[in-house]
Amino acid sequence: MTALLLRDLKLSFRAGGGALIGILFFLTVVAVIPFGVGPDLNLLSRIGPAIVWIGALLAALLGLDRLFQADRDDGSLDLLLMQEHPLVLTILVKCLAHWLANVLPLVIASPLLGLFMNMSEVAIGAVMLTLLVGSPALAFIGAVGAAVAVTLPRGGLLVSILVLPLTIPVLIFGVSASYAAVEDPAPFLPPFLILVAITMFFAVIGPLGAALALRNAGD
Amino acid sequence: MRLLAENLSAHRGEDLIFSNISFELKEGQALILTGRNGSGKSTLLRVMAGLLRPASGTISFWYDAARKAHNLGEVAHYLGHRNAMKTELTVRENLAFWKDFLRDAAGGTGYSVVDAARAVELEQVLHLPFGYLSAGQQRRMSFAKLLVGYRPVWIVDEPTAALDVSAEALLARLMREHQVRGGVILAATHQPLELLDVKRLEMKGFEFAAGDED
């Protein structure tokens, strides 16, 4: 299983792996917002956490369609499906590799984009923390979409659309926890803990659903 | 070791591809599937590997009288039309990954990466990215994948596609060595592969004819 994790990481960082595409997209989306909204610093810092979260969400969905399709195209997926070790575990490891290579860089880049949005230190820290905790859920939910669309030749946008409604709770609780950290009366912990719960829930459900979809994709 | 397939049939969409195929293989035997294009050879092999669900029938594999495998796929290698190797990674990385991921099934041990590459006579290209190899070399290397992790059953679909005569003989020799060690082979091929203790099954779409031959 470690071998699979290392292979997937290596593939993401080699030429054509696409790990950089997501982060470039994230930078572009958030960087153009201040130009569109105008130089109202108070407004920017107020919408900042939401914009950074939305940018990260969309960027995280970007490379998802290749999660299983790359393996299917060269026949590796057949061998992954045949093995004795549980398929759910294989998928969990693939999700983890996808998160490490494609989503973790977004979390790391988020403080820089927080500065673009004139966010305070506390807000930047809160967004980074909620992204760190919430973004694995995006990878796990995305795995189901990627598995359903694995046989479609151009499933890229379809995966994003299938997956987007399911990611809304992650977005809602991620953003509300970030706001709670800066706006006084609202408590930070309840939405944050719900976010943690969502991630753990999808860590179980996501690979299960993806395994079911891949088993039935049979072609 | 005994491999038993009973009354297998399979659909692709609405179409029945084949029906009521039964055969039995013992230690060291090989089944060669022949038949025209589209007669269901690849479909049967994918059903055997557990990648397609049969419409009816059962497949079972016994290590010995007492011990039965959960399903055939986990004790089998499958070499399909695609090579299951990453073109971005070097040959060594590819083989090392599969060796680590596949592990060995009960009853044998796989070759080391270097030995497997030597067995297909390509140890000099281990450092190259897989994508740099010629089609024939790629096919030979994906065959080396069958050697790095031990599996008693080899399911191979047109293993000699894109190969020259000497490479064909090389793979046939490796398959015979596998049989001598007690392995079972299921192969679909148009080439006359020289294997030991061969059973033949001619796929005709809906009907079939089976016979023994040495």
Side-chain angles (χ1 to χ4, degrees):
Chain A
M1 280 299 152
T2 330
L4 182 64
L5 183 75
L6 290 177
R7 181 195 75 151
D8 275 17
L9 285 177
K10 244 186 245 169
L11 285 172
S12 316
F13 291 118
R14 295 266 160 105
L20 266 177
I21 302 293
I23 195 161
L24 284 176
F25 179 77
F26 185 37
L27 288 171
T28 322
V29 167
V30 180
V32 295
I33 297 284
F35 295 104
V37 171
D40 182 346
L41 291 180
N42 287 333
L43 178 63
L44 279 181
S45 67
R46 207 163 65 241
I47 61 172
I51 297 293
V52 173
W53 249 98
I54 291 170
L57 171 68
L58 295 179
L61 297 181
L62 208 59
L64 270 177
D65 59 312
R66 298 299 292 164
L67 185 55
F68 300 116
Q69 210 168 40
D71 278 333
R72 182 180 175 273
D73 289 348
D74 64 21
S76 313
L77 187 63
D78 290 339
L79 303 196
L80 299 185
L81 290 175
M82 278 170 67
Q83 301 316 313
E84 197 176 353
H85 26 73
L87 181 58
V88 177
L89 201 65
T90 308
I91 292 172
L92 188 76
V93 169
K94 280 190 76 70
C95 291
L96 219 62
H98 174 82
W99 182 77
L100 284 172
N102 296 288
V103 187
L104 191 60
L106 305 178
V107 179
I108 294 167
S110 63
L112 175 70
L113 296 170
L115 288 178
F116 280 25
M117 301 302 294
N118 189 35
M119 282 155 62
S120 67
E121 296 86 351
V122 182
I124 289 175
V127 167
M128 198 174 170
L129 184 64
T130 50
L131 273 178
L132 185 69
V133 166
S135 59
L138 304 179
F140 296 129
I141 299 169
V144 183
V148 167
V150 69
T151 54
L152 302 175
R154 269 174 291 280
L157 188 62
L158 182 72
V159 173
S160 305
I161 291 171
L162 275 178
V163 159
L164 202 59
L166 292 169
T167 58
I168 295 296
V170 184
L171 180 68
I172 290 175
F173 288 103
V175 172
S176 59
S178 314
Y179 275 123
V182 276
E183 284 164 13
D184 231 355
F188 171 75
L189 221 45
F192 183 74
L193 289 179
I194 291 179
L195 192 65
V196 174
I198 290 175
T199 295
M200 293 201 288
F201 179 70
F202 280 114
V204 177
I205 298 292
L208 263 179
L212 211 63
L214 285 180
R215 285 249 182 259
N216 288 295
D219 65 330
Chain B
M1 192 183 300
R2 197 159 79 99
L3 197 173
L4 190 64
E6 290 170 300
N7 296 319
L8 288 179
S9 47
H11 292 282
R12 283 265 173 149
E14 296 293 302
D15 298 328
L16 191 65
I17 303 289
F18 56 78
S19 62
N20 289 326
I21 288 191
S22 305
F23 56 84
E24 184 185 350
L25 292 174
K26 293 203 178 67
E27 212 156 297
Q29 284 191 316
L31 179 77
I32 292 191
L33 302 175
T34 52
R36 54 185 171 72
N37 298 135
S39 58
K41 302 187 293 291
S42 298
T43 307
L44 177 58
L45 290 183
R46 288 185 73 80
V47 168
M48 293 303 293
L51 296 165
L52 277 178
R53 214 163 283 148
S56 73
T58 53
I59 302 163
S60 40
F61 179 85
W62 283 273
Y63 293 101
D64 47 51
R67 219 148 54 90
K68 188 176 176 224
H70 178 59
N71 62 45
L72 182 63
E74 64 191 43
V75 295
H77 270 302
Y78 175 73
L79 178 65
H81 296 291
R82 291 168 290 191
N83 290 325
M85 303 282 257
K86 295 289 177 192
T87 51
E88 301 93 330
L89 301 180
T90 65
V91 175
R92 186 190 297 275
E93 285 170 328
N94 267 303
L95 286 179
F97 162 70
W98 284 120
K99 181 170 178 56
D100 201 346
F101 186 79
L102 295 169
R103 303 289 168 90
D104 293 319
T109 47
Y111 291 30
S112 75
V113 168
V114 176
D115 286 346
R118 197 169 290 146
V120 294
E121 297 175 358
L122 282 177
E123 71 266 34
Q124 71 280 12
V125 300
L126 272 175
H127 63 287
L128 291 178
F130 187 72
Y132 285 15
L133 307 187
S134 75
Q137 287 177 321
Q138 291 190 340
R139 200 62 183 159
R140 269 152 74 185
M141 267 306 170
S142 61
F143 199 87
K145 190 172 74 236
L146 309 195
L147 301 170
V148 293
Y150 173 78
R151 293 286 188 279
V153 182
W154 288 5
I155 300 174
V156 291
D157 197 352
E158 298 286 358
T160 53
L163 292 183
D164 58 36
V165 179
S166 67
E168 242 178 73
L170 174 75
L171 294 204
R173 182 168 56 77
L174 290 172
M175 287 196 258
R176 284 197 299 275
E177 284 173 13
H178 178 63
Q179 291 185 288
V180 169
R181 289 197 305 267
V184 170
I185 292 178
L186 292 114
T189 178
H190 293 291
Q191 314 298 332
L193 275 180
E194 284 173 31
L195 301 179
L196 313 163
D197 201 356
V198 170
K199 282 187 171 183
R200 285 179 195 277
L201 180 63
E202 195 186 346
M203 305 288 291
K204 287 179 179 168
F206 300 112
E207 305 154 349
F208 75 104
D212 282 25
E213 187 182 317
D214 282 342

